[in-house]
Amino acid sequence: DPLEAARRLGGREMAAILGATLAARRHRVPVLLDGFVCTAAAAPLARLAKGGLDHAIIAHASAEHGHKALIGRLGMQPLLDLGMRLGEASGAALAVPLLRAALACHAGMATFAQAGVSTAGDA
């Protein structure tokens, strides 16, 4: 049972991360998981329901032993893999501007029709 494992192995801070990640899923709020502890805290959601972490993104793969293995087991890819082990949400601090830039690029990009680009079938 994933929740029983979390209860036995995690502290209150990990329970809070798990609960916040679950609440975010229920309210359709995306989550950045920053580092090994946050990823481990949220991991039971992947076992509780298929797609339980579909609203979450791994900010970075930390250099902490086991983090890349856990990410792989969850079938996820980190946004960044810089070998950091700094903590204090340093991976999320780098990932947020990257995500903002990607969203700005996506939202500001013209469609082919708007840009006057012809498609192969238009000839």
Side-chain angles (χ1 to χ4, degrees):
D1 176 17
L3 294 180
E4 183 62 17
R7 185 183 76 79
R8 290 179 182 256
L9 300 173
R12 289 184 177 147
E13 70 285 354
M14 290 184 75
I17 293 168
L18 175 61
T21 306
L22 178 58
R25 178 160 180 77
R26 292 190 65 188
H27 294 285
R28 306 186 75 168
V29 174
V31 171
L32 270 179
L33 297 173
D34 185 62
F36 187 40
V37 172
C38 288
T39 306
L45 295 179
R47 291 286 194 145
L48 286 173
K50 183 176 177 164
L53 285 176
D54 284 354
H55 69 301
I57 298 171
I58 307 290
H60 76 106
S62 74
E64 292 175 278
H65 182 71
H67 192 213
K68 287 183 182 179
L70 177 58
I71 292 170
R73 179 105 180 188
L74 293 171
M76 300 174 81
Q77 293 289 322
L79 286 176
L80 302 167
D81 186 355
L82 303 174
M84 297 187 311
R85 63 176 83 218
L86 300 173
E88 290 79 42
S90 53
L94 292 172
V96 167
L98 179 66
L99 290 170
R100 285 184 177 156
L103 288 170
C105 182
H106 177 73
M109 189 172 290
T111 65
F112 280 178
Q114 292 168 331
V117 176
S118 65
T119 61
D122 290 343

